Amino acid sequence: MRIFVTGASGWIGSALVPELIDAGHQVIGLARSDSSAAALTAAGAEVVRGTLDDLDVLGTATTAADGVIHLAFKHDIAFTGDYQGAAEADRRAVDTFADALAGTDRPFVLASGLVGLKSGQVSTERDMPTVNGTPASLRSATATAALALASRGVRSSVVRLSPTCHGEGDNGFMAHLVATARAKGVSGYLGDGDQRWPAVHRLDAARLFRLAVEKAPAGAVLHGVAEEGIALRDIAEVIGRHLDVPTASVAPEAAAEHFTWLSDFVALDSPASNALTRELLDWRPTHPGLLEDLDKGHYFHAPATAS
């Protein structure tokens, strides 16, 4: 298949492109910068220049493709105060993909998230998010709309990704926790540290996206989860051991100062199952789990910076 991929040079996209090419697919990657275009060309992908705001570009590329995997999201503005703007841009892009794919039975795979889906309980692929008009729920509404495209003749599916998609080169949540522990001189966890985070290695996530575009049925919800839930306290202990700093509880009233932009996330207990995904696509995560990956040491080779 000729597969159009947004976010193709990003954290998961840069693993997905070779995964698709090795499976015999052609990849057309969206690139918003010269460096992204160069990386995609070096990986063997065709390049389409543009951004999520270039709806004409998205529509044209989608029409010329056999399927679409949409990984891109404006994280740069989402995590600096304009989550609503990022979510609205994402919805416009998805509506553009939908119009171009309607009636074709071609696949459309959307990356979404798991955080906060069912707090304190193990969520499954059958659980649906609450859409209540808040900025955070706008992205959930987009995922719901993507699933509904099955009624318009699109083989649409949604991959809900673990908040921790780890691996060498990660500059996300884990890197921020490492940087915070290094800067504060203590590896912190919130309260008793029992909050559970699902996790997946980026290479396992890339394979799941490939399987989804190849064979996920219309309307499928998939969980990019290799480990159901890892306690934040256990994560903090590994970080503290590698940095040779103490591990300690952070009081809720001090969370914003200690964890900065990650403070809302460390308060969430969001374990998730992958049982239905494994059964549907025969997806079997094979790469190291989060604590094992942390113990490999690559998160600690050089001062980590928050993304």
Side-chain angles (χ1 to χ4, degrees), residues 90 122 187 233 264:
D90 188 52
V122 178
S187 182
R233 182 181 57 252
D264 289 338

Side-chain angles (χ1 to χ4, degrees), residues 16-231:
L16 175 60
V17 169
E19 174 77 24
L20 291 170
I21 291 174
D22 288 347
H25 302 294
Q26 294 176 275
V27 176
I28 304 93
L30 184 70
R32 63 176 181 172
S33 68
D34 291 342
S35 59
S36 293
L40 290 174
T41 299
E46 298 177 33
V47 174
V48 172
R49 292 299 297 264
T51 72
L52 288 185
D53 295 320
D54 296 321
L55 301 183
D56 289 344
V57 172
L58 300 184
T60 299
T62 299
T63 299
D66 298 315
V68 176
I69 300 177
H70 179 38
L71 301 176
F73 190 75
K74 292 186 172 184
H75 291 101
D76 51 344
I77 67 171
F79 291 135
T80 54
D82 191 15
Y83 195 96
Q84 180 165 338
E88 289 174 348
D90 188 52
R91 181 56 180 268
R92 289 190 295 270
V94 169
D95 287 344
T96 300
F97 298 135
D99 290 341
L101 291 169
T104 67
D105 290 321
R106 294 175 182 173
F108 172 64
V109 185
L110 173 69
S112 189
L114 275 166
V115 169
L117 180 63
K118 195 175 182 181
S119 182
Q121 302 178 58
V122 178
S123 64
T124 76
E125 294 88 338
R126 293 192 178 98
D127 292 315
M128 299 305 291
T130 299
V131 178
N132 55 15
T134 62
S137 76
L138 291 176
R139 195 176 188 189
S140 297
T142 298
T144 300
L147 295 174
L149 294 177
S151 66
R152 295 181 60 189
V154 180
R155 183 163 63 82
S156 59
S157 60
V158 169
V159 176
R160 295 171 177 164
L161 283 167
S162 297
T164 302
C165 188
H166 57 90
E168 188 162 4
D170 177 16
N171 197 33
F173 286 179
M174 285 303 105
H176 184 78
L177 286 176
V178 171
T180 298
R182 181 179 277 115
K184 301 287 186 180
V186 60
S187 182
Y189 54 85
L190 186 66
D192 59 14
D194 285 343
Q195 303 88 349
R196 293 161 293 177
W197 284 9
V200 65
H201 195 283
R202 68 188 284 256
L203 297 179
D204 286 319
R207 188 166 71 256
L208 178 57
F209 277 101
R210 193 255 297 170
L211 292 173
V213 79
E214 289 177 344
K215 60 183 182 179
V221 174
L222 308 167
H223 276 188
V225 172
E227 297 174 284
E228 185 175 281
I230 303 168

